[in-house]
Amino acid sequence: MSRASIDSSGAKIGVKYFATNSYDRLTEWKRDKEILLITSAGYMDGWNANAKPVGLSVDDGQIINRSASFDMDGLVLFYNVAPQKGGISIFDMDKKYVNLEYPAKSGSYQLFDPRDNITDRSKFLNVAVELGLSVLQTHLVYSEKKTQEENFENIYQGNERERRYLAITIKDNDVHHIVIDVPDAIKLLEGANDTKNILEYLGHKVIYILNLETGNVNFLRSSTDGQITNLNEQNGLTQREAQLLQDWGNYIVWYIID
């Protein structure tokens, strides 16, 4: 999904994160939206609608979880207001900084280390609230800021299972968001390395690859399925899929910004 304009009116593809009361809010929000893709997003501390995202989490300027996960190096910021509405920024927290424009539209940037510095974490969350951001913490399985050895040193360690990745790339001078679904069992970094190699073969410069949660809640739907307008069992979803969507409170949604 290219972030360039998709028609002469300047419409673009945007992305939004839902982390709390997600099903009800998604149902209301999507009424006037053209939805392109929905996927389960980050890790949760339980398996029902009352579960909370693992790691730093903010939803439309509302703090959901103040506790950082020290095992996860990826931080995703979702912009919900103009002029960056529908865009995201990704940061490699192993590199000890999150670079955020503050105050808004000021042209000035502040550096934060929200994972490893508790003072910075508090300041960062306050700024995220003020700017109306959404925030997701997850595993960063490839970062252009790391060497090949740092990214893939332990490529064959861990369990084999289905995987899903979000790659941020540049091709033809445009930023692309690419969701890669791997239904067959594969190790986490092995799949990330394969993903990077395939995208590079297709002409993309890979900036970041993030891990998306599949686990017990493995939900992915695109508009080509004809199931985006009405997300319930009576409109194309299986009973299990409909229940997962209602119970799991953590989604990333791509849509058209008019």
Side-chain angles (χ1 to χ4, degrees), residues 193-212:
N193 186 56
D194 289 348
T195 293
K196 177 176 179 289
N197 290 338
I198 292 170
L199 291 175
E200 288 179 340
Y201 176 80
L202 295 174
H204 291 264
K205 178 183 178 182
V206 181
I207 309 301
Y208 294 114
I209 304 176
L210 295 155
N211 184 54
L212 299 179

Side-chain angles (χ1 to χ4, degrees), residues 70-243:
F70 296 97
D71 297 326
M72 296 193 293
D73 49 353
L75 193 72
V76 190
L77 307 188
F78 298 80
Y79 298 96
N80 298 308
V81 297
Q84 296 171 291
K85 181 178 179 180
I88 61 175
S89 293
I90 295 175
F91 299 97
D92 182 347
M93 289 192 290
D94 282 346
K95 298 306 178 182
K96 299 297 184 185
Y97 76 90
V98 172
N99 194 20
L100 188 60
E101 185 179 16
Y102 181 76
K105 305 179 185 179
S106 66
S108 298
Y109 287 80
Q110 291 193 24
L111 297 179
F112 302 92
D113 181 10
R115 185 184 63 177
D116 301 321
N117 185 304
I118 191 169
T119 301
D120 269 15
R121 187 182 313 152
S122 179
K123 291 179 180 178
F124 167 77
L125 289 172
N126 289 338
V127 170
V129 169
E130 183 175 336
L131 298 180
L133 299 176
S134 296
V135 178
L136 165 69
Q137 187 178 1
T138 188
H139 287 113
L140 190 60
V141 291
Y142 173 79
S143 167
E144 68 167 357
K145 297 186 181 303
K146 293 186 173 83
T147 65
Q148 180 75 5
E149 290 72 22
E150 288 177 313
N151 279 305
F152 300 121
E153 180 180 6
N154 300 313
I155 190 170
Y156 296 114
Q157 289 188 2
N159 298 325
E160 290 187 345
R161 60 168 306 141
E162 70 279 3
R163 303 291 179 183
R164 187 170 301 131
Y165 305 102
L166 169 58
I168 307 301
T169 74
I170 296 176
K171 184 177 182 180
D172 299 327
N173 295 319
D174 292 324
V175 175
H176 290 72
H177 300 175
I178 304 176
V179 176
I180 301 95
D181 192 54
V182 186
D184 297 326
I186 195 169
K187 295 183 185 298
L188 178 64
L189 293 181
E190 183 183 11
N193 186 56
D194 289 348
T195 293
K196 177 176 179 289
N197 290 338
I198 292 170
L199 291 175
E200 288 179 340
Y201 176 80
L202 295 174
H204 291 264
K205 178 183 178 182
V206 181
I207 309 301
Y208 294 114
I209 304 176
L210 295 155
N211 184 54
L212 299 179
E213 168 71 337
T214 52
N216 288 342
V217 183
N218 186 354
F219 190 91
L220 176 67
R221 279 292 177 268
S222 70
S223 58
T224 57
D225 296 320
Q227 299 169 352
I228 295 298
T229 303
N230 297 297
L231 293 168
N232 57 52
E233 188 180 345
Q234 285 70 43
N235 289 276
L237 301 184
T238 67
Q239 182 179 8
R240 182 175 184 274
E241 286 173 330
Q243 193 64 52

Side-chain angles (χ1 to χ4, degrees), residues 3-47:
R3 283 283 290 158
S5 296
I6 59 176
D7 61 25
S8 58
S9 69
K12 289 187 175 183
I13 296 175
V15 59
K16 186 172 178 61
Y17 175 59
F18 291 86
T20 183
N21 194 24
S22 297
Y23 182 76
D24 291 341
R25 290 175 56 235
L26 172 61
T27 301
E28 177 66 26
W29 174 83
K30 71 178 180 59
R31 288 182 179 178
D32 62 345
K33 304 293 192 302
E34 182 179 349
I35 307 299
L36 301 178
L37 188 146
I38 302 175
T39 178
S40 45
Y43 308 104
M44 303 287 281
D45 62 7
W47 303 109

